[in-house]
Amino acid sequence: MIEQKLFKNVGLLRITEGNKSRLFRIPKNAEEDTFTVSVFPFLPEPQSVLEVYPDAHLIATQDTLMTLDGRILRQHEHIKISVELISDKWMIIEDMQSDCDSRYRIVFWDGEEESCYFWGRYILRSEKYLAVWTAKDCLWRVYAYDQRQVLEVHTPDQHVRLKGDFLVVEGLGDYTAYTLADDNEKLSEKKCVFKHQQLIVCSSYNNFALCCNLSGAMQTYFDGQYRQYGKVESVDFFDRADIFSICRNGRYFPYTLTGKLFAENICPYGADMIAYSKEDNALLINTNSVLHLIRL
């Protein structure tokens, strides 16, 4: 089977037969169905890997990363390369496919020049942040996509996750969370919002997190402010709605992220049940068998 892919805006055509691909030049933005082709002069031979990133002005093969006009950025062996658009720049991720601290190398590319250089044995990605871990110093370094380093945490444990504006270090019933949004602090001990908790839940949309310890005492963090809620039986967090609900003495109490009671006129003494629909972004509150649907 022979496959083809046109990149009309940059005047390229990729033909793949079996496990080999070749690149040809065609007239840019060709409107007609018939056109002449010529071999791409910088890659005249068939390639086992041939990826074209027209908007980034890049071509990646099994051993070369080059620009569309033939400028070689680097040559390599047995490296997997991916290119992704991040904000107004592209991020080039090189996977050396080896178990070492330089396994992943990451650079930013503006279409003409490279900038910044990150490396690590493991990487984590989220919509806003990039984290790399190195075994030599047991450090997680977290960067915003504008290339600022926002956190550096020493931990021999690689089990961490990025969630919203937080980095969470996960253990067996032992969680610690660091905020990534506070630009005024750089030290990890200053950015640690919760430490050694049994449960930590973080928002994907706001600088908000909540935790519970072994005794069931609950605490929230929102934009630098802490609030205590005492011992609770359970907690539910409705992230998209910016509301959480706690259960105390069998009654459910909804709160906004600021700690203000929500729908207090409906359930001033708590509700029998609170249910949430993420699809509709709506709360269903049951008070004494009366159902109240609140669209948020």
Side-chain angles (χ1 to χ4, degrees):
M1 180 178 176
I2 301 177
E3 299 178 345
Q4 60 86 15
K5 184 172 179 61
L6 284 169
F7 304 93
K8 287 186 176 181
N9 59 326
V10 293
L12 292 176
L13 166 67
R14 184 180 63 197
I15 300 291
T16 302
E17 183 175 3
N19 60 355
K20 294 292 184 179
S21 299
R22 296 190 69 185
L23 203 58
F24 299 88
R25 275 184 170 168
I26 63 172
K28 286 186 180 180
N29 300 310
E31 298 292 340
E32 299 179 3
D33 295 331
T34 302
F35 44 79
T36 59
V37 301
S38 60
V39 174
F40 186 66
F42 309 111
L43 291 172
E45 301 299 325
Q47 307 292 318
S48 57
V49 174
L50 183 56
E51 297 294 339
V52 180
Y53 303 95
D55 295 331
H57 199 65
L58 291 174
I59 298 171
T61 74
Q62 69 282 347
D63 56 17
T64 304
L65 179 67
M66 64 169 59
T67 62
L68 297 186
D69 55 10
R71 177 162 59 101
I72 295 177
L73 298 183
R74 63 184 60 85
Q75 292 181 307
H76 53 78
E77 292 183 6
H78 311 299
I79 295 177
K80 182 179 179 181
I81 292 180
S82 61
V83 180
E84 299 179 32
L85 180 62
I86 301 295
S87 186
D88 61 341
K89 290 183 174 63
W90 286 269
M91 187 165 65
I92 302 171
I93 302 175
E94 301 177 31
D95 181 358
M96 311 299 168
Q97 304 186 79
S98 60
D99 188 22
C100 64
D101 275 356
S102 59
R103 171 171 181 170
Y104 292 100
R105 295 192 301 195
I106 301 141
V107 297
F108 286 85
W109 169 257
D110 64 5
E112 294 293 336
E113 299 293 337
E114 294 177 323
S115 62
C116 270
Y117 172 73
F118 308 132
W119 55 276
R121 181 169 296 197
Y122 301 108
I123 63 172
L124 283 177
R125 301 262 319 276
S126 70
E127 290 185 1
K128 298 172 66 175
Y129 302 100
L130 162 73
V132 295
W133 185 80
T134 48
K136 180 180 179 180
D137 45 17
C138 293
L139 281 178
W140 276 104
R141 296 175 177 89
V142 186
Y143 302 89
Y145 284 131
D146 61 8
Q147 304 165 35
R148 291 177 298 113
Q149 182 173 332
V150 295
L151 181 67
E152 185 173 281
V153 175
H154 181 275
T155 171
D157 194 347
Q158 306 105 50
H159 299 290
V160 307
R161 60 186 169 94
L162 291 168
K163 183 67 180 291
D165 284 319
F166 298 89
L167 176 82
V168 181
V169 181
E170 300 181 332
L172 185 60
D174 186 339
Y175 300 88
T176 298
Y178 300 86
T179 180
L180 306 174
D182 187 356
D183 291 333
N184 296 321
E185 295 290 352
K186 301 300 179 185
L187 298 177
S188 60
E189 57 268 26
K190 296 289 188 179
K191 304 194 81 165
C192 181
V193 296
F194 297 131
K195 194 171 185 179
H196 303 314
Q197 299 293 315
Q198 188 179 28
L199 170 71
I200 290 179
V201 178
C202 304
S203 172
S204 297
Y205 311 105
N206 296 282
N207 189 23
F208 173 86
L210 62 83
C211 73
C212 288
N213 62 20
L214 281 171
S215 65
M218 181 182 149
Q219 186 179 21
T220 64
Y221 170 91
F222 182 47
D223 283 343
Q225 300 295 317
Y226 290 91
R227 291 176 178 82
Q228 310 287 340
Y229 292 84
K231 188 173 182 179
V232 301
E233 295 163 18
S234 65
V235 57
D236 291 299
F237 179 41
F238 313 122
D239 196 359
R240 185 182 166 199
D242 296 340
I243 290 172
F244 62 92
S245 169
I246 63 175
C247 179
R248 186 181 288 118
N249 298 322
R251 306 292 292 174
Y252 295 87
F253 298 86
Y255 288 86
T256 66
L257 303 189
T258 61
K260 181 181 179 182
L261 274 169
F262 179 77
E264 191 174 6
N265 58 323
I266 295 175
C267 52
Y269 307 106
D272 299 305
M273 178 201 71
I274 295 177
Y276 175 67
S277 168
K278 184 177 180 180
E279 181 179 353
D280 299 323
N281 194 25
L283 279 180
L284 184 67
I285 300 177
N286 179 356
T287 55
N288 301 319
S289 299
V290 178
L291 299 181
H292 305 267
L293 183 64
I294 303 176
R295 300 188 183 277
L296 302 165

